Amino acid sequence: MNQKKDRKTITLHGLKTIIGEKVQLDTLGINLPEDEVVSIKKDNPKYIQPFLFNPNIGVGTDIDKQPQIVLISAPGASGKSWLCDHLSSSIGIPVANLSKCRQVGTHSLTGMLIDAFDSEGYARFCHELKSGRQAFIIDALDEGILKSGMSGFEAFLDDVLRYTYPGSVSIIMLGRPQSVENVALYLDSKNISFSILQIASFSRTQADEFIDTKVAPSNRFQKPYKDLKEYILESIGSFFVQQKEAEESFLGYAPVLDAICIAIKQRNDYNAMLSELKSKSRSGLDIVIDIVNNIVQREKNDKINNQSIKPLENRLTTDQYQRALSDVYTSIEQCKAVLKRVYNEAYEISISEDPSINSEFNVNLNGFIADHPFLINRSFQNIVFESFVLASLIHEDPNNVYLEDYLCERYRDNYMLIFIYNNLYPYSKINPQFISTLYRSFISFDNTTDFASTDIVRIDDEGKHSAFFRRMLDGLPFNAEFSVTIPENFNIDFGPVISNLLLDSDLTIVNSIRKSTEFVAPVTIICKGFNAGGEIYISKQSSVKDSREEQLNRVDICVEKITLDYNKYGTPKIQINSPDLSLNIDCKSKTERPFVDYQTDISPIKTNLTDEEYKVFVKLRKILITFRSHSKGTMARFKDKIEDSRISGNKYGEKIIDRLLETNVVREADNNFYELNREETANVLGLTFDQLKRASMNPKMKEFITSIVDD
């Protein structure tokens, strides 16, 4: 794993060197049972040593300066227990495990040590500790805080500080990020020198070793096991095309690797599992979603059901208890909770009519939310988890105020969002306010050889639209289709780049909120209004993988009104970056400079057609635009999509479909599909499919339309 250059990394060997050699307890006549509250741990011989790094949360000192206390943080299931065991065994220092205590407070640590060592052993240990020749570990800070509350835990910390020794590492504490941060702030207020380290993500080699260690396949099944493991890892890796850092962050995260291990061990038939994955053509994204869902389910079962709900069984009615086990902290509820946690807000769930039970439950709940595997220091652990949460809320809770604020203030266009959203909610209906979010996610993946193509087209007079997202990924088509109802005069900001877009809607585009906007041809915008401000750059795609469609080096804007905003960035400017590019503006109302310089009559259709002929043209165009590239690689659509009343409705719809079939512009591919015949589209209608999308007119098209009206 390549660590970021702006953070200090350290190996476990380096940490142990800083801690230094310690006097072994057996030379002091101290023998500790392994499973007691205070004990010496045994190391796992297969333990994979991670790197550690300083997370830079604003407090603490450099690890090289011999702090009195070292705090080590990691999300749940990230290897803290194994790290604790390794340090205890390899250095020979005891561990005080707070998960084995009911609660802690004043003099708790002193009591633990006296109970473990007896009074004479305690005196010998303290002498070595205060001389810098011994140290101890405190594990499970989270459970100590959860059981005792922060005020009780601070009293416990006051007892801990009695054992620190200046100039030497005396104490190592381990916990999840939020618990470590709380302890760090308290230590800082007491002027105690400390360092914070965090367990880093694993490299690919370490990830392999982690899975091998957890699954532990027998020698007899090594070959099928390795084939299965490689298929899973490579499938996941294939999803992170040209996003190496995101791949490393996801596949190096211990809870993700643990979910892979659980999935493999649950089946235990490696050949059968591999065959099933291949036969179902399970993509890397499918496996990623499975892993995320496994993490979510484990959080519910292990943290909430087992640790928070079951202890309340005798205080809840049977119905309340069963309902809580099944319905509380579901996937969508976890998404709401972690996003609220990003804003440092508590999340509340009612499981009883008794306020005291609800209060107790919610204290525990928020302790677990603070350390949810999706989060690290109130930020998302990686863009996969961020995308999963945002996609879930966009679909399930679109009016969530934290979602709205996060997308406006914190979210940075993330290519994974639309892929994960489409996997979770294919062919779904989306709220119009998120069209721009999905669009910006989609084009953020654009590069010199791979461009997205997006059509947002109105399909009836009631504001219903279809949004088609299409691109080629490693030679394979990706297609997503959503429905959206866009109200008249709806305002939308497509972001700083508008690329390969066809828009036909009554909405108003707003780009006056930014200094510059780039239009990457081909772009066709047919809409009600365009609010312009700042600079506009017209550029083109350098190359396109899918060359079946004609690529036009032009940007066409056909609007009723252009509104110029001079207040923020002065007079708007237009710059065309290539001599073979053109900007064509057709505006019904008066335009001003610089837009008037590009005024052209690009949409004379309505004036050349009667009202009835224009209705036929609009319906014909909407029917044909509905065809998008299907996974078979053809311009095909399900028959029921084409014949849907929203597409074919009005008195001309069925006539148009019949005539398209008669002329072989559209043909039946099989019982379920209609297929668009590109060659006959040009022969019968006199234009290419791409020209049709951009509202062109010619004599053949006029003849076709007239024949429908006169029929």
Side-chain angles (χ1 to χ4, degrees):
M1 176 66 58
N2 295 321
Q3 305 301 329
K4 294 181 179 179
K5 293 181 179 180
D6 61 347
R7 68 188 192 189
K8 182 181 181 66
T9 60
I10 183 173
T11 64
L12 278 191
H13 175 75
L15 175 61
K16 289 187 287 187
T17 300
I18 291 169
I19 295 172
E21 291 188 12
K22 303 299 181 183
V23 174
Q24 300 301 295
L25 294 185
D26 56 2
T27 65
L28 300 176
I30 299 173
N31 295 302
L32 294 174
E34 184 184 353
D35 294 328
E36 297 301 317
V37 175
V38 178
S39 61
I40 290 285
K41 300 293 186 180
K42 290 183 179 178
D43 193 9
N44 186 330
K46 296 182 179 180
Y47 176 56
I48 303 158
Q49 298 189 23
F51 286 100
L52 304 168
F53 68 92
N54 187 327
N56 297 323
I57 68 167
V59 293
T61 186
D62 193 293
I63 187 67
D64 292 332
K65 295 181 179 179
Q66 291 286 332
Q68 294 162 278
I69 296 176
V70 174
L71 300 171
I72 301 176
S73 78
S78 291
K80 290 191 298 294
S81 296
W82 279 11
L83 172 59
C84 178
D85 293 352
H86 176 78
L87 290 175
S88 174
S89 173
S90 59
I91 303 175
I93 56 179
V95 176
N97 188 342
L98 302 189
S99 69
K100 295 181 178 292
C101 305
R102 291 188 61 184
Q103 59 183 30
V104 293
T106 306
H107 305 308
S108 289
L109 181 62
T110 299
M112 292 179 205
L113 296 177
I114 291 175
D115 287 345
F117 298 151
D118 71 40
S119 58
E120 188 176 340
Y122 169 74
R124 290 195 296 268
F125 178 77
C126 287
H127 175 75
E128 300 299 328
L129 187 64
K130 293 187 176 181
S131 302
R133 293 191 293 269
Q134 247 298 337
F136 63 88
I137 300 169
I138 298 177
D139 191 21
L141 294 179
D142 326 286
E143 295 190 54
I145 294 174
L146 186 64
K147 293 173 180 177
S148 310
M150 200 59 208
S151 60
F153 195 77
E154 288 175 354
F156 168 74
L157 289 176
D158 288 337
D159 190 29
V160 171
L161 298 184
R162 296 174 51 220
Y163 297 93
T164 57
Y165 176 79
S168 174
V169 175
S170 307
I171 302 163
I172 302 105
M173 300 187 193
L174 294 94
R176 296 191 182 193
Q178 184 58 45
S179 301
V180 166
E181 184 176 339
N182 289 338
V183 172
L185 293 173
Y186 187 74
L187 296 179
D188 191 54
S189 72
K190 296 291 185 178
N191 295 317
I192 300 296
S193 66
F194 65 92
S195 290
I196 301 178
L197 297 175
Q198 186 171 307
I199 299 176
S201 299
F202 288 133
S203 67
R204 174 58 190 270
T205 299
Q206 290 174 315
D208 276 343
E209 294 176 0
F210 183 101
I211 297 172
D212 293 345
T213 300
K214 282 266 189 176
V215 176
S218 68
N219 292 332
R220 201 159 56 119
F221 298 110
Q222 282 291 322
K223 176 66 167 61
Y225 160 74
K226 287 182 179 179
D227 290 344
L228 173 62
K229 180 185 70 172
E230 286 303 310
Y231 181 84
I232 291 174
L233 294 179
E234 287 176 10
S235 295
I236 294 172
S238 70
F239 173 59
F240 297 91
V241 180
Q242 301 172 4
Q243 300 287 328
K244 193 65 178 176
E245 184 175 342
E247 178 185 352
E248 290 177 347
S249 173
F250 188 72
L251 277 178
Y253 188 37
V256 169
L257 298 175
D258 203 42
I260 293 174
C261 296
I262 291 170
I264 293 175
K265 291 178 73 173
Q266 281 176 340
R267 285 299 301 272
N268 206 32
D269 187 335
Y270 310 132
N271 280 323
M273 186 175 180
L274 180 58
S275 297
E276 181 180 321
L277 290 174
K278 288 182 175 180
S279 66
K280 291 183 177 180
S281 298
R282 303 271 292 162
S283 69
L285 179 55
D286 292 327
I287 298 173
V288 167
I289 296 297
D290 285 348
I291 289 169
V292 176
N293 282 327
N294 284 338
I295 291 172
V296 167
Q297 191 59 45
R298 189 173 61 196
E299 283 297 295
K300 173 174 171 53
N301 291 339
D302 294 353
K303 303 295 189 336
I304 303 305
N305 286 8
N306 292 336
Q307 296 189 46
S308 295
I309 296 176
K310 286 186 177 179
L312 298 172
E313 181 176 6
N314 294 332
R315 298 164 61 188
L316 297 170
T317 67
T318 301
D319 182 60
Q320 288 173 341
Y321 178 68
Q322 294 299 330
R323 191 165 59 244
L325 287 178
S326 62
D327 298 343
V328 167
Y329 213 50
T330 58
S331 178
I332 187 61
E333 204 158 38
Q334 289 186 48
C335 290
K336 293 178 184 179
V338 297
L339 187 58
K340 229 180 166 185
R341 177 62 193 169
V342 167
Y343 288 87
N344 203 23
E345 296 282 348
Y347 191 77
E348 294 187 355
I349 298 174
S350 177
I351 63 172
S352 168
E353 295 177 357
D354 185 336
S356 64
I357 293 178
N358 288 331
S359 176
E360 181 180 335
F361 173 77
N362 283 302
V363 167
N364 290 344
L365 172 70
N366 280 280
F368 290 125
I369 292 171
D371 292 315
H372 195 285
F374 284 3
L375 298 176
I376 180 168
N377 295 329
R378 296 201 301 277
S379 297
F380 285 104
Q381 177 74 225
N382 55 51
I383 60 176
V384 174
F385 297 145
E386 179 191 52
S387 296
F388 182 87
V389 169
L390 296 180
S392 300
L393 294 177
I394 284 172
H395 188 264
E396 303 284 354
D397 191 21
N399 297 318
N400 187 301
V401 294
Y402 297 98
L403 172 65
E404 179 182 358
D405 187 84
Y406 190 89
L407 290 174
C408 290
E409 303 295 334
R410 304 193 184 200
Y411 171 73
R412 297 295 176 264
D413 298 334
N414 168 0
Y415 83 98
M416 286 190 190
L417 178 59
I418 190 168
F419 288 91
I420 290 178
Y421 185 90
N422 186 56
N423 185 282
L424 294 173
Y425 310 109
Y427 302 107
S428 62
K429 182 176 181 179
I430 59 174
N431 190 298
Q433 71 189 80
F434 302 117
I435 279 286
S436 174
T437 303
L438 295 181
Y439 173 76
R440 290 159 74 166
S441 164
F442 200 45
I443 69 168
S444 69
F445 194 64
D446 283 359
N447 57 56
T448 57
T449 61
D450 184 14
F451 286 86
S453 175
T454 306
D455 294 354
I456 302 171
V457 179
R458 184 178 50 203
I459 60 175
D460 67 14
D461 296 330
E462 297 176 356
K464 293 179 181 176
H465 292 63
S466 284
F468 303 98
F469 299 88
R470 179 171 58 89
R471 68 160 67 248
M472 300 294 288
L473 291 173
D474 284 348
L476 298 174
F478 168 84
N479 300 285
E481 178 183 349
F482 310 109
S483 64
V484 54
T485 298
I486 301 177
E488 191 173 353
N489 297 321
F490 183 78
N491 290 347
I492 190 168
D493 170 27
F494 279 104
V497 178
I498 298 177
S499 172
N500 205 358
L501 171 69
L502 167 65
L503 173 69
D504 182 358
S505 178
D506 278 339
L507 56 75
T508 294
I509 293 179
V510 178
N511 86 315
S512 57
I513 58 176
R514 59 178 46 82
K515 188 175 182 180
S516 65
T517 302
E518 180 181 12
F519 287 77
V520 182
V523 172
T524 295
I525 292 174
I526 304 169
C527 65
K528 193 142 191 173
F530 183 71
N531 295 347
E535 297 180 319
I536 292 177
Y537 296 91
I538 308 297
S539 60
K540 63 179 180 178
Q541 303 169 4
S542 56
S543 63
V544 179
K545 282 187 176 181
D546 185 4
S547 59
R548 295 173 301 165
E549 287 192 29
E550 176 185 359
Q551 297 300 324
L552 303 177
N553 291 332
R554 56 189 290 167
V555 173
D556 295 338
I557 300 176
C558 182
V559 296
E560 292 184 12
K561 184 179 181 180
I562 295 177
T563 303
L564 303 186
D565 184 349
Y566 299 98
N567 295 326
K568 195 169 185 180
Y569 301 112
T571 303
K573 299 177 182 178
I574 296 174
Q575 178 177 322
I576 300 179
N577 297 335
S578 177
D580 61 344
L581 281 167
S582 67
L583 170 62
N584 307 287
I585 296 174
D586 185 357
C587 183
K588 291 182 179 179
S589 61
K590 182 181 178 181
T591 57
E592 302 178 50
R593 294 180 64 89
F595 293 93
V596 70
D597 297 336
Y598 301 92
Q599 183 86 22
T600 181
D601 196 12
I602 59 172
S603 185
I605 297 168
K606 194 163 187 178
T607 56
N608 290 346
L609 299 175
T610 67
D611 287 345
E612 292 302 303
E613 287 172 342
Y614 184 69
K615 289 179 182 179
V616 172
F617 169 77
V618 170
K619 185 57 62 177
L620 169 65
R621 184 166 167 270
K622 291 188 188 305
I623 290 172
L624 294 180
I625 285 175
T626 305
F627 285 90
R628 307 305 314 141
S629 292
H630 187 262
S631 59
K632 293 181 178 180
T634 61
M635 297 290 282
R637 295 301 297 165
F638 286 108
K639 286 183 180 180
D640 58 358
K641 287 282 184 182
I642 300 300
E643 295 172 353
D644 189 291
S645 60
R646 293 176 303 166
I647 304 293
S648 63
N650 88 17
K651 64 181 180 180
Y652 294 117
E654 291 185 10
K655 289 183 179 181
I656 293 172
I657 293 174
D658 289 342
R659 188 62 54 85
L660 291 173
L661 288 166
E662 289 172 10
T663 56
N664 207 32
V665 173
V666 170
R667 57 197 177 195
E668 294 190 33
D670 56 38
N671 291 332
N672 296 316
F673 284 93
Y674 282 142
E675 181 180 280
L676 183 70
N677 185 335
R678 290 173 180 272
E679 291 73 19
E680 288 305 314
T681 302
N683 292 335
V684 174
L685 301 177
L687 40 70
T688 67
F689 180 75
D690 222 47
Q691 289 168 335
L692 171 68
K693 290 197 302 180
R694 286 161 173 80
S696 299
M697 178 58 66
N698 62 73
K700 285 188 175 181
M701 171 72 83
K702 177 70 181 290
E703 181 182 350
F704 184 92
I705 290 171
T706 302
S707 71
I708 298 291
V709 174
D710 294 341
D711 186 4

